[in-house]
């Protein structure tokens, strides 16, 4: 005969499976809701952060990077939370993510260093696009500043790509951040020439050039006395854009005035070596 005691056991099993299925479905629904709502909130927060950084006049490259970074961190937290809703223990998952992050950080140590220095260069702005700088042992005009590298155009139109870590780890000299620059020229005259007259003449030439600033005032001084010459040093200030043209034009004007006033500029000592030998057939 049929054993009626089997029926309640089967019913209980079916009820248990049904309850588990319902609980699993509710967990899946909860995890899905957490992901959907969390992704919407993460996008809104990341967009709000980018807009705030833009209002703070932060570089667009850096603000975009920070926006993506914030969004990525929020997505990782959402995934961990959703797995927790499903009943997956979060502690082992967090530990695994930490281990993976450490391994990736060690593998990309150089790239992360460039990235970190790129963020600092964009944030603190020791130079801007268009500045002429000496950075990482290279001189050139800044063409672009990225999160991983900086592009310089050298004076002869070559292009240099410098890793940001190399720039950040070395001295940075910005030649035109201040707007003005001082130039220095040196000239040697003969002892028989009137040094005071020569210095006054050079001062007149510098005063006549509007590109040479009056404040700070230019000047001419006797720098030293060598064996053959009285050494003069000329210093003046110009705008960065006028520096090279003002120096070359001043040298040209000094050369013309030297020729006109017959000022002596002694040449350096020369050494002549006589070599004795047997003349060849041609007398040489």
């Amino acid at each position: 005969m049929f054993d009626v005691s089997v029926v309640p056991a089967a019913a209980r099993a079916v009820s248990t499976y049904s309850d588990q299925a319902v609980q699993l479905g509710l967990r899946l629904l909860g995890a899905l809701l957490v992901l959907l709502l969390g992704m919407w909130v993460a996008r809104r927060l990341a967009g709000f952060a980018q807009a705030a950084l833009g209002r703070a006049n932060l570089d667009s490259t850096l603000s975009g990077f920070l926006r993506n970074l914030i969004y990525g961190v929020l997505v990782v937290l959402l995934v961990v939370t959703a797995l927790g809703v499903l009943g997956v223990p979060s502690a082992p998952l967090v530990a695994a993510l930490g281990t993976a992050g450490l391994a990736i950080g060690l593998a990309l140590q150089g790239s992360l260093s460039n990235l970190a220095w790129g963020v600092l260069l964009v944030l603190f702005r020791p130079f801007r696009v268009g500045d002429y700088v000496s950075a990482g042992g290279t001189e050139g005009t800044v063409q672009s500043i990225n999160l991983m590298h900086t592009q310089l155009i050298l004076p002869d139109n070559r292009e240099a790509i410098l890793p940001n870590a190399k720039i950040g780890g070395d001295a940075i000299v910005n030649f035109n951040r201040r707007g003005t620059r001082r130039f220095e020229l040196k000239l040697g005259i003969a002892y028989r020439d009137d040094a005071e007259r020569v210095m006054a003449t050079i001062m007149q030439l510098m005063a006549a050039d509007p590109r040479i600033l009056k404040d700070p005032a230019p000047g001419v001084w006797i720098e030293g006395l060598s064996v053959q010459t009285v050494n003069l040093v000329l210093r003046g200030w110009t705008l960065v854009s006028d520096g090279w043209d003002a120096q070359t034009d001043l040298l040209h004007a000094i050369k013309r005035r030297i020729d006109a006033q017959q000022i002596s500029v002694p040449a350096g000592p020369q050494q002549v070596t006589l070599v004795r030998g047997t003349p060849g057939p041609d007398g040489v």
Side-chain angles (χ1 to χ4, degrees):
M1 295 182 61
F2 181 72
D3 189 358
V4 296
S5 63
V6 177
V7 177
R12 287 194 298 270
V14 171
S15 177
T16 300
Y17 292 145
S18 299
D19 293 340
Q20 292 177 352
V22 170
Q23 292 178 2
L24 180 60
L26 292 175
R27 290 178 179 175
L28 287 174
L29 181 60
L32 183 60
L33 289 175
V34 168
L35 284 177
L36 293 177
L37 292 176
M39 296 288 283
W40 180 80
V41 173
R43 282 195 295 269
R44 294 295 298 270
L45 290 177
F48 176 78
Q50 186 176 18
L53 293 174
R55 287 192 296 270
N57 295 324
L58 197 65
D59 186 86
S60 58
T61 302
L62 180 58
S63 61
F65 168 75
L66 293 178
R67 185 262 178 199
N68 294 332
L69 180 62
I70 293 173
Y71 183 74
V73 172
L74 291 176
V75 168
V76 172
L77 294 177
L78 280 174
V79 172
V80 174
T81 303
L83 291 176
V85 172
L86 284 175
V88 177
S90 59
L93 181 61
V94 172
L97 289 175
T99 303
L102 178 61
I104 294 174
L106 292 176
L108 302 177
Q109 184 176 3
S111 298
L112 291 178
S113 178
N114 289 329
L115 179 61
W117 275 111
V119 172
L120 293 176
L121 290 176
V122 174
L123 186 62
F124 293 104
R125 296 185 179 183
F127 50 79
R128 300 172 185 268
V129 173
D131 287 349
Y132 188 84
V133 301
S134 172
T138 304
E139 285 190 14
T141 302
V142 180
Q143 182 74 13
S144 64
I145 307 171
N146 299 318
L147 291 176
M148 300 299 294
H149 61 267
T150 297
Q151 179 183 3
L152 299 182
I153 302 299
L154 306 187
D156 58 0
N157 207 34
R158 289 180 298 165
E159 183 181 280
I161 306 297
L162 302 180
N164 287 332
K166 182 176 179 61
I167 295 177
D170 201 353
I172 299 174
V173 179
N174 193 325
F175 289 89
N176 53 343
R177 167 65 70 86
R178 310 286 295 182
T180 59
R181 285 183 59 187
R182 191 192 75 178
F183 67 86
E184 179 176 292
L185 303 174
K186 296 185 178 182
L187 174 68
I189 62 175
Y191 275 91
R192 65 174 177 269
D193 293 320
D194 186 349
E196 296 294 335
R197 182 171 65 92
V198 174
M199 294 166 63
T201 300
I202 294 175
M203 286 297 298
Q204 292 174 2
L205 293 175
M206 290 196 291
D209 193 335
R211 295 168 298 184
I212 300 178
L213 303 179
K214 304 304 182 289
D215 185 20
V220 184
W221 300 270
I222 296 178
E223 183 186 36
L225 302 175
S226 65
V227 175
Q228 289 188 316
T229 60
V230 177
N231 299 322
L232 305 181
V233 58
L234 298 63
R235 294 192 182 117
W237 292 81
T238 66
L239 297 177
V240 172
S241 58
D242 295 334
W244 178 253
D245 291 336
Q247 292 181 64
T248 54
D249 290 346
L250 178 61
L251 286 174
H252 193 191
I254 292 175
K255 174 63 170 62
R256 290 199 304 266
R257 191 62 62 89
I258 285 175
D259 294 340
Q261 298 185 1
Q262 298 181 350
I263 300 173
S264 301
V265 181
Q270 298 181 357
Q271 180 178 359
V272 179
T273 303
L274 298 177
V275 180
R276 293 185 178 182
T278 304
D282 54 356
V284 178

